[in-house]
Amino acid sequence: MQYRNVGKAGIKVSEIALGSWMTRLEDTAAVENAAQIVRKAWEAGVNFFDCADAYSGGDAEIFLGRVLKEYPRDEVVVSSKVFFPTGPGANQHGLSRKHILANCERSLKNLGMDYIDLYYCHRFDPTTPMEETLQALSDLVDQGKILYYGVSEEWSAARLERAQRIISERGLHPMTVVQPQYHMLDRYIEHEIVETCERYGIGITPFSPLAQGLLTGKYRKGQPLPAGSRATWQADRQINDLLTEENLDKVEVLRKVADGLGLAMPVLALAWILRLPVISSVIVGASKPSQLESNLAASGVELPADALAEIDRILGFRRFERHIG
């Protein structure tokens, strides 16, 4: 396992991180399976475990904290998030100072920890002044309850630029990390967010790197959906929106690139993301140990320039030389 700094900060995280959004905790067998996955990740060198207060209504934090107690706290990097409702009250959601401070305490209690390494704003809150949100996060750093903070979805480059102005004007602790969605079939962050993060020394820890499973290669054009896959869940619009003929055609050609390099499709997809130096870690989910093993193999894989050019051609995307060196 290889490790990278989170932006210009000193903290180092494994190139592959384990996320908790797929963690299933409905019965004893599911909990034991999830614990086995966390332990296998640790044994393979993963030191970064991503969670959120919203995952399983807080149960994911409780579960993760219990398993991670088996390992030295100073060697584990844990993240969580704040934004989504934690109750029915008017102040139990969003990014107000009140909710951020209360929710941080809730997450610390759930995790059974004294501090959270990385704390994200899960979404953008248009009802709260950005100054209030950033001040609250910086104050949590002063209090030692979080070490670094960042943001996730809905924080555009323009919002990141505005945040940097506020941080500079108020002398706040810097923003350290951004967690957007990013994969081969959704490259929107390359237009502006990557450049902004490079400019300010902000690390990027993308989620959904395998496009809800589409980039694993398990969905094939002209073949029935795999039994039990996310695409068979009627409520899962994310994967179903991705399962277009155009995307399935692209994946078929990408499979040939992976085969030519002697790589599994997930390894190609993850290594492709890690080609950007601004990427600190790629957050993957796993519902069984075999999925995790496949993902872990991407750490340290460097794709040749001709393969990167071919991937851009397949994806129909203009190559940005500055970003991929």
Side-chain angles (χ1 to χ4, degrees):
M1 178 62 63
Q2 302 294 312
Y3 301 87
R4 298 186 180 190
N5 286 73
V6 181
K8 64 182 179 182
I11 190 170
K12 294 178 175 60
V13 293
S14 48
E15 288 188 332
I16 305 298
L18 181 63
S20 299
W21 74 89
M22 290 180 62
T23 301
R24 300 177 64 181
L25 305 169
E26 66 269 23
D27 54 40
T28 302
V31 171
E32 181 51 40
N33 177 68
Q36 183 182 6
I37 291 171
V38 173
R39 294 183 182 113
K40 281 187 172 293
W42 174 263
E43 291 166 3
V46 172
N47 74 341
F48 179 19
F49 298 86
D50 178 73
C51 201
D53 64 327
Y55 298 160
S56 302
D59 287 346
E61 287 181 323
I62 295 171
F63 159 79
L64 185 63
R66 286 175 178 169
V67 179
L68 292 181
K69 279 188 181 300
E70 300 172 14
Y71 310 114
R73 180 64 184 94
D74 60 350
E75 295 183 30
V76 175
V77 177
V78 177
S79 65
S80 194
K81 308 176 187 72
V82 57
F83 173 80
F84 288 109
T86 54
N91 290 306
Q92 290 183 297
H93 62 88
L95 297 178
S96 68
R97 180 179 182 85
K98 182 174 179 63
H99 183 57
I100 289 174
L101 298 185
N103 206 64
C104 182
E105 293 292 345
R106 178 178 181 268
S107 290
L108 287 171
K109 181 179 179 181
N110 285 345
L111 290 163
M113 297 177 177
D114 295 327
Y115 66 91
I116 297 169
D117 298 272
L118 305 176
Y119 199 48
Y120 298 90
C121 296
H122 212 155
R123 293 291 187 273
F124 180 78
D125 182 2
T127 70
T128 300
M130 192 182 291
E131 291 84 352
E132 178 178 339
T133 296
L134 295 171
Q135 184 70 60
L137 293 167
S138 185
D139 288 347
L140 284 173
V141 176
D142 283 330
Q143 295 167 19
K145 294 179 179 179
I146 66 174
L147 302 187
Y148 307 91
Y149 69 87
V151 300
S152 187
E153 287 284 88
E154 299 178 356
W155 285 74
S156 63
R159 286 171 173 167
L160 292 176
E161 291 282 357
R162 183 183 165 206
Q164 290 301 318
R165 290 195 296 272
I166 294 169
I167 289 168
S168 178
E169 291 168 359
R170 295 194 169 206
L172 304 179
H173 289 286
M175 183 182 296
T176 300
V177 64
V178 172
Q179 187 182 116
Q181 178 169 276
Y182 181 48
H183 52 71
M184 285 178 163
L185 302 174
D186 186 359
R187 300 176 65 171
Y188 80 97
I189 71 168
E190 292 181 36
H191 294 294
E192 294 180 334
I193 290 178
V194 166
E195 183 178 356
T196 298
C197 288
E198 288 176 338
R199 182 182 309 121
Y200 295 107
I202 299 172
I204 299 177
T205 58
F207 71 92
S208 193
L210 298 176
Q212 311 296 323
L214 180 56
L215 292 172
T216 64
K218 67 181 177 182
Y219 299 108
R220 306 293 298 273
K221 188 173 182 180
Q223 296 185 12
L225 298 175
S229 66
R230 294 188 63 171
T232 63
W233 304 350
Q234 291 185 358
D236 199 332
R237 294 183 55 187
Q238 289 182 311
I239 179 59
N240 287 301
D241 288 345
L242 284 166
L243 287 175
T244 65
E245 286 197 18
E246 180 182 3
N247 282 342
L248 288 170
D249 285 339
K250 289 179 179 178
V251 172
E252 285 298 315
V253 185
L254 289 169
R255 286 170 61 91
K256 296 178 181 178
V257 175
D259 290 343
L261 294 172
L263 301 175
M265 186 63 199
V267 173
L268 178 72
L270 297 173
W272 177 85
I273 292 175
L274 289 166
R275 80 200 188 284
L276 298 178
V278 73
I279 300 294
S280 301
S281 181
V282 182
I283 301 173
V284 304
S287 59
K288 50 189 176 181
S290 59
Q291 291 178 341
L292 176 67
E293 291 171 6
S294 176
N295 295 334
L296 293 174
S299 180
V301 174
E302 293 187 16
L303 301 177
D306 59 342
L308 291 172
E310 176 63 9
I311 290 170
D312 278 336
R313 186 194 67 77
I314 294 167
L315 299 177
F317 199 89
R318 183 177 178 182
R319 190 176 180 206
F320 287 87
E321 296 289 347
R322 184 180 62 82
H323 294 331
I324 62 177

